[in-house]
Amino acid sequence: SSETTEWAKIFFWISGERRSVASWGSGNPPISLPNQPNTCPLLALDIGGTLIKLVYFKPDNEGNAGGKLHFVNFQTRCLDECLEFIKSYKFIGNGVIHEASTSANLTIKATGGGAYKFSDVFREKLGVTLHKLDEIDSVVDGANFLLKKIPCESFIHKNGRREPININTTNLFPYLLVNIGSGVSMIKVMGNKKFERVTGTHVGAGTMFGLAKLLTGCMRYDEFLELSRQGDNLVLDLIVKDICGELVGQKQGLSASTLASSFGKVINSRKQLSDYKSEDLAKTLLSAFTYNIAQVSYLVAALLGLKRVFFGGSYIRGHASTMDNISYAIDYWSKGQMQALFLRHEGFLGALGAFMDYENIDTYDLPLEDTKEKEPLHDTFTSPDGISTTEHNESSIFPYLLVNIGSGVSMVEVTGKGKFERIIGTHLGGGTILGLARLLTGCASYEEFLELSQRGNTLAVDLTVGDIYGEHGYSKHNLPASTTAASFGKVSSNKLSDYKAEDLAAALLNAFTYNVGQISYFVAKLSGLRRIFFRGTYVCGHAKTMEKISRSLKYWSKDELQTTFLCHEGFMGAVGAFWSYENMGIANLETEEIMRQVLLGAPYTGGNGPALPLAAHLSLTGGGDVSFRDEVERLQHDNNEMKDEIERLRQENAQLKAALQKIRLDTAFDGKNTPPS
């Protein structure tokens, strides 16, 4: 498999002109159906926000049974070309599903949001009705068909090469299916027609491509993939070596080449967007988001006790670097206990599932049998008992998850005083937000970015479930119309000037704070931790940031997880260094009491639990005697005071050390201790 996607071309005629439609060549070979009657050709559609995927049956010979399934796709914005293709193959003239002679009975099986959005267009221009099928139902049916019926359909990907995997069909279930579209859906498949959409993320391929349009100017996803092949992400990415050198990172089990912060180098650079190569920007985007999708997938699979994870969706495109990134990340985070598996026809799962819904499909007369589902290896996550947010003590605070949001994000399990372990991290942190913000909005500081985000409207660039399915949303899977489906998924132009800086800033803050919240929740749940403390310079006591992280945790944990932000969250490193003074023989600094006050302070707590005292509470509405702005100003004032106090104590400590040294010298050389001559 080469780095670039291999393409096959199918030609047809529109108004006397020869047109071509792309099909992923070696990755989507035709599928033989030798027993399928060829009395009428069949087709099915999956109409997405970016691509229309079409599966159709073409007989081998007239009058005889047998033929092949073929796979083609069109840009959704080129819907007319898809309609002309359907006309050119005379699907309509011969009937599509029913054999009745009246055109009113002609229907096409279709899935995806576009099946609803473009239903009237198909009726007006082709005289057919779209038989709308649930999208996730179709995706699962398509995946099960391929895995149980088609030899060598699945494979692993290592170092740019495919290695076919033989699947034992009697032990296929359960597995996790990660469908990468504009957004990402994660589905636990337990058998034929037995599945559950367990979660998803709106930081997916739609986000990656939307940002790619704005940063590189490309307008086709395949152009973006080709650009990424030639790029170097280390021009923009911050790695561990850049932060702490070769040796320090090894203490935490991090190699010098570990990715610390995507786009993190942009923060301290004076370069403008035009100073960077499109290839490097594309490579950085691809690495950032494929690693993130893989990390979330790993956490979900681990929570469900699943070892097998299949990746599908039209954004994979058989692209070698995409699959290598996902494979490496799954192997890395699972310590070799999980494998990322891919499908040759990964982009056509929904269309295949819709095709299988026709009653007269003959798939070798082999039933899609069910296999026994294994019990999930996790317990129900219930709310903590006896946790009070108004009163803490040292024994009740442990264990907890400490999420440090710096350029990257570190997640540390703290089990007691001096007992902790860094268990995981994510490269999409504050450095990513600010790096992208500088490129997209030109802001000079994080404070300026936060101010911009306050005035922005995410709906100007974010794709919602309502944009795909209409005002009623995707009710079958409890996704209301207002749910974000894909951050930056609505970006249609490659001109930055077409978008307001405020809207881009708001969308950036929304995307990455929700992503940090989601990953933190999964990590806490996987580790059995029920309390999370957030700190770091990129929290900055910023009300909107805390609100979004809290809402994310509240959503994912169903309001059962306690979320706490530290009063002096930006100075934990300095305070920790200050705490070490007690190990220098200076006992009267009372560092334990100071640390207790800092660590146990909670200006905002999300989730259930008794309300905090008014002086320490930030309500989501800003009500009460203490407003958001007043509280933020108070926290900033406290931070400044503590910074000054630490500096004063540092100077005092230096003076004490000098005085102590002088006393020791005077004692050593007094009359009683004069060394012999």
Side-chain angles (χ1 to χ4, degrees), residues 3 208 221 224-225 228-229 231-237 259 261-263 279-295 319 321-322 324-326 328-329 333 426-428 432:
E3 180 80 17
M208 180 166 59
Y221 190 69
F224 160 68
L225 292 179
S228 72
R229 187 182 69 84
D232 179 6
N233 63 297
L234 294 183
V235 174
L236 297 101
D237 282 350
L259 178 58
S261 177
S262 294
F263 290 92
E279 294 85 348
D280 297 337
L281 291 162
K283 181 72 170 182
T284 305
L285 284 169
L286 185 71
S287 298
F289 291 101
T290 50
Y291 284 144
N292 188 72
I293 291 169
Q295 182 176 37
H319 186 245
S321 288
T322 298
D324 273 347
N325 288 350
I326 291 173
Y328 172 80
W333 277 303
T426 171
H427 55 284
L428 298 186
T432 312

Side-chain angles (χ1 to χ4, degrees), residues 202-203 207 211 214-215 263 285 289 429 432-443 446 449 452-453 457-458 461-462 487-488 501-515 548:
H202 57 263
V203 182
T207 310
L211 289 171
L214 298 173
L215 294 175
F263 290 92
L285 284 169
F289 291 101
T432 312
I433 299 175
L434 183 54
L436 284 170
R438 286 192 170 180
L439 295 174
L440 293 171
T441 70
C443 63
Y446 192 60
F449 161 71
L452 274 175
S453 70
N457 178 16
T458 61
V461 293
D462 285 354
S487 295
F488 291 90
E502 294 90 338
D503 297 338
L504 297 173
L508 279 174
L509 186 65
N510 184 67
F512 291 104
T513 50
Y514 271 88
N515 189 66
K548 286 184 176 294

